[in-house]
Amino acid sequence: MNFGSSFGISASALTAQRLRMDVISSNVANAETTRASVVDGKAVPYRRKLVVMEASESNKFSNILNSKMNGSSSEGVKVQSIIEDASPLKPVYNPSHPDADAEGYVYMPNVDITKEMVDMLSASRSYEANVTMLNASKAMVSKALEIGR
């Protein structure tokens, strides 16, 4: 591993954690949204979104060979996809709500604010850890350059 690859790994993790925080913010903002989309003329509540991350494919021989020949790094983490949480929607009895069904229930999004806050804290801590790693790599490069003086 060289210094360039450590910067690349940190950058990929910072990008992934930033996207994760954006998705969590979207979940919190839409925690009460009962009309996220319309399907067959019927309003559908917002569904919680989740970020799926995976390690970059650096284990394959061809990827390692190409990265070494090009001097680039394909290590790190990347966002594979953003998926919808399949957990059930929360029925709330409120017959005066405009989206209430014939029995008076309104289906609210499956967003739990407590879960979102825990996920946001985890993403924030991961982001901070990667910033610390980036700063440590930068400090090592600076010290290595001072040796040459």
Side-chain angles (χ1 to χ4, degrees), residues 62-75:
S62 61
N63 291 342
I64 293 171
L65 180 64
N66 287 334
S67 68
K68 296 298 179 189
M69 291 180 69
N70 296 332
S72 64
S73 173
S74 62
E75 298 172 322

Side-chain angles (χ1 to χ4, degrees), residues 1-13 58 67-68 71-77 133-134 137 141:
M1 178 190 319
N2 59 25
F3 287 117
S5 66
S6 68
F7 290 141
I9 292 169
S10 292
S12 70
S58 62
S67 68
K68 296 298 179 189
S72 64
S73 173
S74 62
E75 298 172 322
V77 66
M133 184 187 143
L134 187 67
S137 296
V141 168

Side-chain angles (χ1 to χ4, degrees), residues 56-138:
S56 295
E57 295 181 25
S58 62
N59 296 340
K60 293 181 181 176
F61 176 75
S62 61
N63 291 342
I64 293 171
L65 180 64
N66 287 334
S67 68
K68 296 298 179 189
M69 291 180 69
N70 296 332
S72 64
S73 173
S74 62
E75 298 172 322
V77 66
K78 68 178 183 179
V79 174
Q80 180 189 29
S81 62
I82 297 174
I83 60 171
E84 287 189 349
D85 187 358
S87 63
L89 300 171
K90 295 182 276 185
V92 174
Y93 184 73
N94 186 359
S96 64
H97 194 281
D99 292 330
D101 63 5
E103 297 171 356
Y105 285 98
V106 178
Y107 287 92
M108 302 299 287
N110 57 354
V111 176
D112 183 3
I113 297 297
T114 306
K115 281 185 188 175
E116 300 304 320
M117 290 296 117
V118 170
D119 285 350
M120 180 66 87
L121 195 61
S122 172
S124 176
R125 296 287 187 220
S126 296
Y127 192 90
E128 290 173 8
N130 283 292
V131 167
T132 301
M133 184 187 143
L134 187 67
N135 287 333
S137 296
K138 190 170 72 177

